[in-house]
Amino acid sequence: MSFAGGLAANPGLMATAAVAGYATPHAGGGHALYIEDGPPGASPKTPSSPPPQGGGGEDLYLVCQKCRRGFRVLPHVKLSKGADDSFRWIEDTFSEGMSPEQLQATASVLYQYAADHVGTNTPLCKECHDDVARGIHDQLKLMGADEAQYECHYRALMEGEGEELGALRGAVGDLEKEEAELEGILAALEAEMRGLEGEAAEAAEARKATHARVDRFWRNTSALRVAEHFLSEELSAVHRQLEITEHSKASAGAANLLNETFNVWHDGHFGTINNLRLGRLPSRPVEQNEMNAAWGYAAQLLDRLLAVWDVVTTRYRVTPKGSFSTVTTVVQPGMKKKEVYELYTGATGLWANTRHDHAIKGFACCVDELCRCVASHCPAQSIPFQQDEDRIHGLSVKQTANGQTEENWTRALKYMLLNLKWAVAMTAVQDADE
C-alpha cells in the first residue's frame, strides 16, 4: 500500500499529519504551492483543475499553523534558498521520482529551518506569510534606525571627549595601581589575620586544657577532702580503740591475767590448779583423768612463764597438749636421740609409772630453772620451797622413788605448784614495776 493509500484508509492519521504540518498526498498526483484557502479548521479542498500531466507526483495538502486554514502546494513549483538566506518560489517540478517518504522528510527539513530562522511555526498560508514578512521588515527598519542613532552617538563621543577619556584612562591607571597596592595590603592583613586566628585557636586550646586541669584539680581536691574526712574519723576511732586497749592493758596488768587464767591454790594436802587436784591419798583417791587435766593446765602455765621470762631450758622441754601433754629430753653430748615422756597416764604397772615419773622429773627440772631465773631478777624475793631438780623441800616428785609414800608425793607436787604460783606473782610485780 502507498503512503497516500495508507493515509486515505486512516482518517485519524490523516488529520494528525495535517495538524503536524506534514504533507498530505492527493489522489490526483502532483504538488501545489499556490493556495486554495478555506475557512479556519476546514479540510483542504480538491483542486478545481487537474494538475498537469506527466509530473508523476502527488499534491501536498497542508494546514497553516497560524490561521489553521488548509491549503495545497502546486505541483509545478518548488522552494529554493537564495543568497540572502531567504526562500523564493521557482517554477520547476521536484516530485518526479520522489517517494512520499522522501517528500515528507524534505518538507520537514524546510519547515524546521524556517522555524529556527523566523521564530514562527510553519507551514503558513500566503496571507499569514505576508503578515509575518511585513512584521519582520518593520523590525528590520526599527533596528536599522537604532543602529544609525547608536553609531552617531558613538562618533560624537569619540570625537568630543577624547581628552576627558585620556584623563579617565590615566585615573583608571592610578586607581589600578592603588588597587594593586591595596590588594597587597589586604593580602598582608589576611596573612596576619590567619596568624592571629591560629594564635586564637592555640589560645582556645590552651584555655580548654587549663579549664580541664582546674576541673581535675578541684575534683582531686574534693576527693582528698573526702578521704581526709574519712581518715580523720578512722584516726579518731583508732585513738579511741587505743585508749580502750591501754585501759584494758592496765586493767589486765592489775588483775594479773596469768593468775586469773591459772588459779593455783590448795585443797588440804592437795595442790590444785583450776580446782583440779594433783596427787593421791589413801583416804581421798583422785581419778586419773582429773590429774591428767591438772598436768595439762600446769604444762600450759609453765610454758607461758618460760616465754615471759625468756628462759630456755637445758635438759627438758615441756609440750602442752591439754590432758595429753608431754616432756621431751634435750639431746646432750653422748645421747643418741631425744626421748618423749608422757605427762599423763591411764595404765598401771611399773613400766607406765616409770615413764610417768620421768615426765614429772623433767617437769620439775623446768620449774627449777624457771624459779632460779625469776629469783635472779627479783633478789629481794626468795623461792618459797627450795628445789633441787626433782626434789622440793627435801621431797621427791617421783612416784616410784625409794621409800616414797603417797602422802609425801602429794605434798611434793603441792610445793611445786606453789613455786609456780610464786613465779606468777613475781611476773605481776615485774610488770607493775615496768
Side-chain angles (χ1 to χ4, degrees):
M1 180 181 293
S2 66
F3 179 72
L7 292 176
N10 192 338
L13 183 58
M14 182 182 294
T16 303
V19 172
Y22 295 126
T24 305
H26 188 268
H31 294 273
L33 185 60
Y34 300 107
I35 302 169
E36 288 190 7
D37 297 330
S43 300
K45 298 180 181 179
T46 304
S48 58
S49 60
Q53 301 297 320
E58 297 178 344
D59 291 342
L60 284 177
Y61 285 90
L62 305 175
V63 176
C64 177
Q65 296 299 307
K66 186 175 182 181
C67 65
R68 310 305 298 173
R69 292 188 299 175
F71 64 94
R72 67 187 178 89
V73 180
L74 299 181
H76 57 283
V77 295
K78 67 177 182 179
L79 289 172
S80 177
K81 185 177 181 182
D84 56 352
D85 289 340
S86 63
F87 287 94
R88 61 187 180 87
W89 308 112
I90 60 174
E91 288 195 12
D92 194 6
T93 59
F94 65 101
S95 62
E96 293 181 0
M98 293 180 65
S99 65
E101 290 80 2
Q102 293 174 340
L103 180 60
Q104 176 181 352
T106 302
S108 299
V109 172
L110 291 174
Y111 294 150
Q112 185 63 41
Y113 185 85
D116 293 340
H117 286 73
V118 176
T120 305
N121 292 333
T122 57
L124 300 172
C125 63
K126 187 176 184 302
E127 289 78 1
C128 294
H129 174 270
D130 293 340
D131 292 339
V132 172
R134 282 193 296 271
I136 293 174
H137 290 160
D138 294 340
Q139 291 180 3
L140 288 174
K141 289 179 181 181
L142 292 175
M143 291 175 65
D146 291 340
E147 183 181 4
Q149 187 176 3
Y150 292 152
E151 184 69 23
C152 180
H153 284 294
Y154 178 74
R155 284 195 299 271
L157 180 62
M158 295 301 293
E159 292 174 358
E161 299 179 358
E163 296 179 358
E164 184 178 356
L165 182 60
L168 290 176
R169 287 177 179 175
V172 169
D174 296 338
L175 289 175
E176 288 177 352
K177 292 180 181 179
E178 185 178 358
E179 181 183 6
E181 294 177 358
L182 292 176
E183 286 179 353
I185 296 174
L186 179 61
L189 291 175
E190 289 178 350
E192 184 178 359
M193 183 178 67
R194 286 193 294 272
L196 292 175
E197 288 177 351
E199 293 178 0
E202 293 178 358
E205 293 296 331
R207 185 171 62 253
K208 289 182 181 178
T210 302
H211 287 327
R213 288 196 297 270
V214 170
D215 292 340
R216 187 165 56 252
F217 168 77
W218 285 116
R219 286 196 296 270
N220 293 337
T221 302
S222 299
L224 289 175
R225 287 178 178 175
V226 172
E228 180 186 8
H229 176 71
F230 284 114
L231 288 176
S232 177
E233 290 185 351
E234 185 175 356
L235 182 62
S236 300
V238 169
H239 284 314
R240 288 193 298 271
Q241 187 65 33
L242 182 61
E243 292 175 358
I244 294 172
T245 303
E246 290 178 351
H247 179 71
S248 299
K249 180 181 177 181
S251 300
N256 192 354
L257 290 178
L258 287 176
N259 189 41
E260 294 293 331
T261 305
F262 301 99
N263 183 20
V264 178
W265 199 236
H266 60 87
D267 181 13
H269 295 286
F270 293 99
T272 62
I273 180 169
N274 290 343
N275 296 323
L276 298 175
R277 294 172 293 178
L278 275 180
R280 183 182 300 110
L281 293 175
S283 59
R284 298 183 62 183
V286 179
E287 294 183 1
Q288 194 64 45
N289 290 335
E290 182 179 353
M291 283 196 294
N292 290 339
W295 281 118
Y297 281 123
Q300 291 180 3
L301 175 58
L302 178 61
D303 181 71
R304 291 306 306 152
L305 288 172
L306 292 173
V308 169
W309 290 97
D310 196 18
V311 177
V312 179
T313 56
T314 59
R315 296 178 61 187
Y316 297 93
R317 299 280 192 276
V318 177
T319 305
K321 297 181 183 179
S323 296
F324 301 93
S325 300
T326 59
V327 176
T328 306
T329 60
V330 177
V331 178
Q332 302 292 336
M335 295 179 61
K336 295 182 179 181
K337 62 177 181 178
K338 63 182 180 181
E339 295 290 340
V340 179
Y341 298 107
E342 296 81 10
L343 197 55
Y344 60 91
T345 181
T348 58
L350 180 62
W351 180 82
N353 291 334
T354 302
R355 292 186 61 83
H356 188 53
D357 278 347
H358 277 293
I360 296 174
K361 178 183 177 181
F363 187 90
C365 291
C366 292
V367 172
D368 183 30
E369 292 187 44
L370 171 66
C371 290
R372 292 179 186 274
C373 178
V374 173
S376 65
H377 286 83
C378 302
Q381 303 291 332
S382 59
I383 303 174
F385 300 96
Q386 296 298 320
Q387 182 175 348
D388 183 13
E389 293 186 357
D390 61 337
R391 299 188 68 83
I392 302 176
H393 203 57
L395 300 176
S396 176
V397 295
K398 297 173 65 175
Q399 189 175 1
T400 59
N402 293 330
Q404 182 70 285
T405 61
E406 291 183 346
E407 289 82 355
N408 292 336
W409 179 62
T410 302
R411 189 179 293 111
L413 295 180
K414 176 181 178 182
Y415 295 158
M416 184 178 65
L417 286 178
L418 293 176
N419 283 345
L420 282 176
K421 185 174 180 64
W422 173 80
V424 171
M426 293 300 102
T427 302
V429 172
Q430 189 73 12
D431 291 340
D433 293 340
E434 292 179 356

